[in-house]
Structures are given as C-alpha cells and as structure tokens.
Amino acid sequence: MQVHRPYTLHDALALMAATPTPTPIAGGTDLLVSWHHKPKEKLALLDLSQLGGELAAMRLTADTLELGALTTYWDVIASPEVSRAFPLLAEAARQVGAMQIQTRGTWAGNIGNGSPAADGVPVLMAYDATVVLQSTRGRREVQLDGYYTGYKKTVRLPDELIVAIQIPRRTRKAEWFEKVGARAAQTITKVGVAVVNDEKGWRVVANSVAPYVCRCRNLESALQKGQKFKSPEEIRDILKNDIAPINDMRSTAAYRETVLSRVLFYRLADKA
Amino acid sequence: MDKFDLSLTLNGKSETRRVALDARLLDVLRYDFGSPGTKEGCGEGECGACCVLLDGVLVNSCLVPAFQAAGRRIETVESTPPDLLQTLNATGTSQCGACTPGVVMSIRWLLQHPEIAESVGLRAFMSGNLCRCTGYDGIIAGLEQALQSNAKKAET
Amino acid sequence: MPAGADLPRIDGLDKLAGRAAYVDDLPTPGAWHGATVRSSVPRGKIRDIHFDPAFDWNDITIVDHRDIPGPNQLKLIDVDQPVLAAGEVRHKHEPILLLAHPSVHKLRDALRAIRVDVEPLPAILDPAAPLTPDLIQYKSDNVLKHIDIRQGDPGPVFARAAHIIEGEYVTGSQEHVYLETQGMLAQWQDGRLTVRGSMQCPYYVLDALTHLFGRSRDAFRVIQSPVGGGFGGKEEYPSLLAIHAALLAEKSGAPVKMIYDRQEDMAVTTKRHPSRTRHRTALDKDGRLLAMEIDVLLDGGAYVTLSPVVLSRGCIHAAGPYFCENIHIRGEARLTNSPPYGAFRGFGAPQTIFAIERHMDVIAARIGIDPVELRRRNLVRTGQPLATGQIYKEPTDLPALMDRALDLAQYKARTQSHAEFNKSHPFLRRGIGFATFHHGAGFTGGGETYLASEVWIEGKPDGTVELQTAQTDMGQGTTTILTQVVAERLGIPTEQVRVATPDTSRVPNSGPTVASRTAMVVGKLIEQACDDLLHQLGRKSGDPEISDDIRRHASLPGKSLVGRAKYQKPASIQWDDKTYRGDAYATYSWATYVADVEVDLRTCRVRVTDFVALQEVGRVLNTTLATGQIAGGVVQGIGWALYENVVLEDGAMKNCQMTNYVIPSAGDLPPIRVVFEERPSHWGPGGAKGIGELPMDGPAPAIVNAISRAVTTTINEIPVTPELLLKATEGRGHG
C-alpha cells in the first residue's frame, strides 16, 4: 500500500496522473469500512485532507453555492446560511449515518464513491448541481445528472479529481426529501427521494432503486404537464420506466417500488 | 506492511510511535499508543464504540486512517473527568461497558456543544452509538444529568 | 449500604473510564494472533487442503484435527460436535484448520494462501423439509431432542368444544450482537494451560478443555475477563474458542490470542433457534380453555449443543400462564446444516410465548371476545396446575397484575382514541397490544440438583470478606448485587465485600451464569454461606459489628475462615424428567407488557411509541440495575420483533455486519416504562427472583398484537420487517 499526502492541489493533480492511479481519500467514511478485509497490495491512496484552502471552502453567493471537495455534511448542518438557502442539503446531511459520520463524510466523496444508496446525491441532483473536475490537463464542469453511467461507473477520468460542487440558487415552488431506511438513523437507505420544483421545472431524484442515483424523467414530465394522481399505483406505473430496483439482503424490489410511489403520492398530494 | 512514525497529541500528551501504514486510528490507539479504552464494535462506522475526539470533533476512529491523525489532537475515554464518570455511573449509563467508551465520548462532545442537543434531540443525537444492554434509557438519563450538571456549573 | 438501596455499579467507573481490561485489551507481550480456516459449504467431504507453495509457511503454526490430544469432541450435552472438522463438514463456516503467527498481517496473507477443496454433499437447510436417507446425520431421523408434556386427555375434548381455533406462529433467528466480540487468550503459565477470555461459564470451558485434552482439571486454569455482553451468546461458544486458542498455544509454545472481528463473530457463532409453533385449541362458549395441542419445532442447526434444554424451556412455557385441564405439548429440535443455534436470553421461551400470546389474541378475535377478558378467564389461579402439573401457589393475583399494566398504559382510552385516529389519518395507523407471561427462574426441572452449585465466602484478617463464585458479570450487575446480598446478610458495609474474579483455580463451581439463576439460586446459596461463616463466629445474621469478629477470627494463626454452602434440592420441589411432570422451576417471574405502535402504511415501518413493562420479580435488589436489565431486555425484544432479520445463505448468516443486521438505536425507541410489583419470595436472597430473561419474552407478542390491530391484519410471524408487513397488507387498498 502507498500513501501520498500532498499539500497543494497542484501536487495532488500531478500525483493523480501517476501509475498506479491513486484512490482519493478525504473523510474515509466509505473507504475505511471493513478496512482489514480489503486487499491493499495494489492500493495507492491520495490523501486530500491536507489540501485545505479552496477545497475546504464553502462559498454562498447571490446565484451559486459552491461546496469545496472537502466540505463535510457537518459543515452544511452547522451553517445557518447554507441550511436556509438549501434546506434539503441540511435535511439530507442529518440523515447520513449519525453525527460521527456527518463530521467526516464529504459531499464530494459521496458523489465519487458512486453508491446507488448515496444519501447526499439525490438532493444535490434535485438542486441541479454541477460537478467540477480537475486534472493536470485542465478543469471541466459536468452536470451531476449525467455523471453516472452505470453501477459505480462515472464520467470521471482516472486522473481527475472532484474539486468542487456548484449548486445554482433558484426560486423553488416545492422541495422535499424523504429517506426510508431500516431504522430512524444510522441506516443505509432502502429507498429515498428528493423532489424540487423550480423555475426550470420538476426534478425527481431517487436512490437505492437503480444501479445509480437517477432522475425519474417520466414522472417529471407527467408533473410538468400538471398531471394529478389518484393513487400510488398510478405513480408506480409511470415509475416503472424510470427505475430498476433489485432484491438484496436489505430489501426487495417490490418494496422499493411500492414505497417510492406511496411516498411520492402522499407528498405530492400534500405539497404539489 | 510499511511503517511510519506517527506523532500526535493524545489526551494532552505529545507522543510518537512507529505504526503500520495501513493502520486505522483505532488500531494505533489500542495497540501502539497503549490506550485500549477505545473499543472496536463493528469496524465499519456503524456502532460508535470507537468514538474519539479528533481536533475536538466527534469521529469514529475505525474510519480514520492513522496517517490522517499525524500532528493532530486526540481525546479518548481515558481523559474523561472524574465527576462526569460519577454522574454517569449513578444513572446506569454503562452495563457491559463495551459501547461505553464511545457513548462517553459522544456525551463529552455534546457537553461541549449543547446547542446540538437543542436542534436534534438527545435520542437522535445518541443514535450513532449502538448499545445492546441498556435499551438506551440509562444512557439518555446519564446525558440529561450531565447536561444539567454542566448548566449548573456554567451558572456558578 | 443495604440491599434495596441503589448501590452504584461496582464495575461502573472502570468501564466508563475505559480502564476495564477486556481480553483484547490485556497487554500480552509476545502474543501471537490466531485465525480459523472454515468450510465454505453447508455439507461436504474434505478432499484436499492446498497450501500455496509460493507462501512461506515456516513460521506459521498450523493445527488440524490430528493435533488434538484427546477425543475430537466439544463436550456439552452430547459429544457429537468436533472442534475441528475431520474429513466431513456439517455446516458453512465449520472450523477446519487453525493458524497462528506473531504478525496479524502475515496471518491475513496466510488465510488467503489456503484453499480447502470440499466435495459437496446434500444439505438440509429447512427443519420441516422431507427427509431422504442421504440427509440423515443424527440418529435415525435427525431429531436432536423430542419432548412430550401431557396433562389430562385433550383428544376427546375437541368433540364437545364450542370453538376450535388453530394457528401457526413463526419466529426468526436472532444474533446476540454483544458489543464485545468473542475473544480468548491462551498461554502456558506456571505449568498450566491458562485461558482468559470473554465467557459466561468458566467451568463449562474447563470441562471442555479437560475432555478434549484428556488431562486432569489441574492442568488448566480458566479466568473470566470483563465480558462486554453475553445474552447467552457466551454460554457455550466460548468453550470452542478456548479450545482453539489452547491448541494453538500448545503447538506454538507462545501465548495466542483469538479475537473474532464482527463479521466472523456474526457469521459463525450461535444464534437464537428459529421456531415454528402450531396451536390447536378447544374452548367453551365463554372462552375458557378446554384443551390445547401445541407442536413446537426448533431448528437446531448442525450439532446438538444446547438444543435439548432450549426446547425443554420452550415447551414448558408453551401453554402460557393459563389453566387448562387437557394439554399435549410436543416439541422437536431437528438437525439442519446451519451453524448450531444456541443459548440466547429466554432460551426457547420467547419463541413459544410469542406463539401462545399471539394465539390468545387470534382466539379473542375469532370468537369475538375482548382479549383482556379472554386472559382474565384463563390466567392460572391459586391451586390450579400449569402445563406440567405444577400447582400455582404464588402470592401474585395475575389478573390484577394484568389490569394494573393496562391501566398504566391507558389501554382502554387508547384503544378508543386509536380507532378514531385510524379513521381520520390517510396513512398512519395506531394500535395497542399486550402480552401476559411468565418465566421460570433457574435451571429447568432437575437441573439445579444436577449442578450441585457451591459458593464460598472467606473472611480476611483485615475484616473484609471475599465472595468466591464462578458467577460472571457481563453487564447485568452480578458483582454489585451479590455484594449487596453479602453485605446485607453479614450486616457489614458493602465496601468490606470483595467479589473474586471467576478463576477456576480459586473459586468453586457455582454453576453457569445463565437461566436467570444468579441472583435467585446463587444469591440464596450466598446467604447460606454467610450464615455458615457467622455460625463459625458464633454469631447469626442480624447481629451487630461482625467485622471485628471476622478480623479476630481470620487473624488466628493457622486458621482460615470460610463459609460454605452447597445447593440441596428443597423437599417441596418434585420433578420427573421422564414424564415432564412436576415443578419445572422453583418459581417464576410474572409480567404483563403493553406496547403502543404506529404503522406508516406508506413505508410499512412500525414505530413503538410507548411501552409499559410491569413485572412481579420478587424483591428488587437494586432498582437502577434491575430497571436497566428490563429496559435492555425489552429493547432486545423490540429488535427481535421488528428489526432483526437474519438473512441465511447456505444455512449461514449472510448479512453478518452491523450495517446489514439492524439493531434498534436510541432514535427508534420511546422511554421504556419499567414498573415492578414487589412481592418478596422465599426462594431468593432477600426475596429476589430471576429477572435476566423475562423481558425478552413479552415485547414480540405485545407488539405484534398491537400491529395486527392497527392494520386489522393477522400477522403471525416475526420479525415484522416493513417488507413482510407490505406483503401482509398488500391488496387491501390502503389508500
């Protein structure tokens, strides 16, 4: 196992271009899980924790929130301004694991890890976030919606680092988030959903119901057309083309599909 | 496995040990720095038995790579003030004692940031520390008692 | 401080400060780490064990079944279980080889460099599956134990019954999740193979070592370290782990530590027996029980272990605290190719009590009678027999106990307000339910007589006394309450009482720390040992200023001052192990638990919103500790009822991480309202009875009764996961 501990982004990007390609580590809340069961012979870690500066910063301007790659869930929870401007971020942050995880886990890490159950990603995607990737070759911005291409597969190239997440500030008519897990807190999501209706329209983002966190585009367009639903089953029929839930040891496909449509039904009846 | 010299401040004392590169903070506290009070319950950041304060912030030490602790301040259960121990013992906060070190560290963090209790509630706050003995009532009672004693101290 | 006052936990400050040294905390210079190579299939023949030639095996200690000095048998009730598989494996994760090395890194590499080739054999993974000859692995029928309890003659009664109600009730397995995983340290010390570790029963470990090594008891020393939770999980399994560590220590010559990590612990150690119980009940038109036929089936796993006695306790409790003249209870524990199931708080009773208490509600609904009234008409009263013919002679009026619990829970008012709420809310449903039950304290039947437990109390020249028993404190508070018992009996301050560490080289065999027996059975013996000590001083209990006498007497040259007591069966207890008739337990604790729940029909998640646990447990020795025991047990019961789902693959636990096996967190629970009704019992010290297991029995039926009412659907299976509840309520057009 190798460990690189750069002090500057410049050095970090240079190291990302090395072979073997290093795995970036920030809070470690995904990577260190069951650590001693993981083979490490070929592992090279790039520790981002000393970069600070730009990567640690959270900037709220008139039209954008920028989360540096080292921003933790706790940073958002502890910032009244950010929590007010983007309430779902704080709400989702409070439901990632428990306090001990929220103080370490980063939003960028949640995106980078690519878990279909990621709790931070649905709200970011519902807020129409952009991922800022950087390498020695330059910097580019990618819509978070479009970042994933398959189970734990993303458009990030091996030498690129997530350096920031940008979220546009818009006027929102509706926004809510619901996480369904096996217990009240400290739980992996069985099904979760974030919904935002802003000047650009509806975005419905679900997790744990597909190989990656995804938008439910058929449902969005139904909502866009102003469709009203008479039963959860109506929503479920539309969702069938949006999601592909599976059976695993945490839940069943039927449960995920049914619960997602029920949660949406009652929430939409309430707030839409 | 490669090793490196890890220097950190443990419970107020600067110390250095040669440790494995792939060690977690939990491992080095227990087996290298002679501080086995911190326990491993699950090894995956779920149970909170391994909670410590890292630069004053509550973390699960099983999810912190040891190299990230270099140069930082660590507080563990071993540095808990005696009056807090007395309070918690009277309320039945500990039974078997295995989750206890993590519970104590969470309580210590909350005592430093009582505003968290107001925003999330005590039970939600404690949900990162899984306990199999108490049913949590003894833990919540201890936390309430400790918060009260703290508030009294702040008044006087 | 006398008993009854809240002496703070004696071991509490050390635990809170992180000073208590559990087995993995002991500094052991030069200790090696041990690891286990296991079967990857549920059943098969070991064809070959392949060691990667590229790996340097020179400094690795390897132990297989040929290194066992005596019989390759784990001595428990039977001797059918090998400690290391020899030729054949009977369950996934069965131990085959043991490895030890000073470096944990090299040990992990070594584990990856070994491949065991096993030729699979047909496995049986469901105890109810039809048997073919190739599946038979124990006696002629895979039945590990059969039990029949008969009272009267139920058969003919069904013909004249006003109602016949049948039901089938299923309970899942449960993992203990003691927060400290299993661990043992074995080493040669002073010419003896010495084993320290996390265990409930040092003398079980000693017996198992003696048998396997074929040596005398003096060749071993077993010492209990602080135990980070047991719940039955450290009753029998530690014997196996101790043997493994001892074999590696003997072969390597070094101290060897074997500490399971959470995944290994969950995957390979014992769990609660899954069960299926069938009831067929005859009642008269007023809802009086006329006859009960009860079939209990336990999945025992691959070896006998403790299944016979788990089945026994389960069957004895299967008819509940009710009077019925005609009863036939049939129980079977059958072999499957799962890792052996074992002791878990309640020991079979939670399974059968779930069945009977659900069944009572099913009966009530079917014959249209209030479930409170149904129980009131059938709860056992003075002079009436329980299922084994044991006559009820206790001071507690069970219907009154039930009423008090229901009042505390505002049962009537809430039943009404819930009905209104359920009519008006789009997707939340509330329900209240309860269970009335009992739990026998101490070993079943003739068990205590067989154990013949012994305790000593030694006076010291400084006027203090040392209590010497094999009773272990795994968090339940043994050290503290036994200190109180001694202090009260001798009339000395608790500070002058020390409790010896359970160490087989210096404490007598006072029996295992299981079966809710420590406070009551051992506590009573301690009173007798105190009396013996007082007698030697020419004093009696209640006399003042005993300490001076102890000091004087213990200081006499060449004299020792030791009070002793040994269990002797009270003449009033009669039990026949062949017919299963008589006094199954000296006494019982009695309880009614009431659960209030809220079901979210969108997610099918159930939240327990209030819980009342009322029990009569004799006299409460220490209110804080007793309350903690009950609250913890209730929450473990809530976990079993709602959250804890052991997912099996090839018969073994697949979700063996705390992330995927979900125990309740603080945020899931209401405060548990623990209430004691104190009626001192002459069976225990100062009037105390057993309480450790009781709280595991009531939560599941109370909760499922509440859910069934909330969603007006009959649920007869636990855990009631949201997925199960969704299936059960689907197609009912909730909203």
Side-chain angles (χ1 to χ4, degrees), chain A residues 121-182:
Chain A
V121 177
V123 290
L124 290 172
M125 205 182 280
Y127 280 142
D128 209 10
T130 302
V131 183
V132 183
L133 294 167
Q134 200 172 336
S135 70
T136 51
R137 295 170 291 108
R139 188 175 159 103
R140 63 178 178 132
E141 292 174 8
V142 183
Q143 285 295 111
L144 180 54
D145 166 32
Y147 185 77
Y148 298 108
T149 57
Y151 177 70
K152 295 226 166 192
K153 286 205 168 68
T154 74
V155 299
R156 182 179 75 87
L157 297 171
D159 64 341
E160 284 179 317
L161 262 186
I162 301 176
V163 292
I165 304 156
Q166 291 169 347
I167 310 166
R169 286 184 90 161
R170 293 177 189 152
T171 316
R172 295 181 291 267
K173 286 172 264 182
E175 60 185 315
W176 53 266
F177 167 76
E178 185 147 342
K179 165 173 172 161
V180 180

Side-chain angles (χ1 to χ4, degrees), chain A residues 31 37 52 79 91 113 145 157 193 231 242 244 248 253 256:
Chain A
L31 211 51
H37 287 267
S79 160
E91 206 179 314
N113 184 50
D145 166 32
L157 297 171
V193 60
S231 73
D242 286 325
D248 62 16
R256 292 177 158 120

Side-chain angles (χ1 to χ4, degrees), chain C residues 56-267:
Chain C
D56 172 19
W57 296 99
N58 274 321
D59 54 353
I60 304 246
T61 294
I62 303 171
V63 164
D64 70 15
H65 67 95
R66 293 166 301 184
D67 294 298
I68 295 168
N72 181 9
Q73 295 168 340
L74 183 64
K75 187 175 170 249
L76 279 166
I77 290 172
D78 206 333
V79 288
D80 59 324
Q81 182 177 6
V83 303
L84 289 171
E88 191 187 333
V89 287
R90 287 262 179 97
H91 65 84
K92 191 172 175 179
H93 306 313
E94 182 156 6
I96 297 170
L97 293 180
L98 304 169
L99 309 180
H101 191 270
S103 153
V104 71
H105 282 97
K106 178 149 185 187
L107 194 62
R108 282 186 204 128
D109 292 341
L111 282 171
R112 281 192 277 266
I114 293 177
R115 201 185 67 233
V116 183
D117 293 332
V118 181
E119 179 191 324
L121 288 170
I124 180 160
L125 301 176
D126 172 5
L131 271 187
T132 49
D134 57 341
L135 292 173
I136 291 177
Q137 296 153 72
Y138 186 81
K139 296 190 174 161
S140 62
D141 53 5
N142 279 354
V143 174
L144 304 173
K145 175 74 178 177
H146 179 94
I147 285 173
D148 261 289
I149 298 176
R150 286 172 191 276
Q151 174 154 279
D153 185 9
V157 179
F158 283 88
R160 59 177 168 86
H163 307 281
I164 297 174
I165 310 293
E166 297 184 30
E168 180 173 308
Y169 307 90
V170 174
T171 65
S173 186
Q174 185 179 25
E175 160 57 32
H176 305 85
V177 202
Y178 29 69
L179 259 286
E180 181 214 23
T181 54
Q182 305 255 2
M184 285 289 166
L185 166 66
Q187 60 193 323
W188 282 97
Q189 267 181 334
D190 309 324
R192 278 189 289 201
L193 202 41
T194 302
V195 178
R196 283 179 175 77
S198 192
M199 63 182 83
Q200 291 178 228
C201 316
Y203 274 92
Y204 280 10
V205 174
L206 182 67
D207 282 350
L209 285 165
T210 310
H211 183 77
L212 183 110
F213 282 85
R215 295 178 196 153
S216 75
R217 280 192 165 194
D218 307 336
F220 305 95
R221 182 177 173 196
V222 179
I223 306 166
Q224 182 226 1
S225 320
V227 176
F231 315 112
K234 291 171 184 168
E235 177 169 352
E236 72 274 34
Y237 197 87
S239 298
L240 182 64
L241 190 57
I243 284 170
H244 286 172
L247 286 167
L248 283 169
E250 171 142 297
K251 189 158 183 182
S252 67
V256 175
K257 239 185 199 186
M258 294 195 79
I259 311 289
Y260 285 171
D261 70 12
R262 181 60 60 184
Q263 283 191 28
E264 183 170 27
D265 192 298
M266 280 191 160

Side-chain angles (χ1 to χ4, degrees), chain C residues 58 128 234 238 293 393 449 495 514 643:
Chain C
N58 274 321
K234 291 171 184 168
E293 287 181 344
K393 292 177 281 207
T449 310
E495 300 78 54
V514 304
Y643 297 91

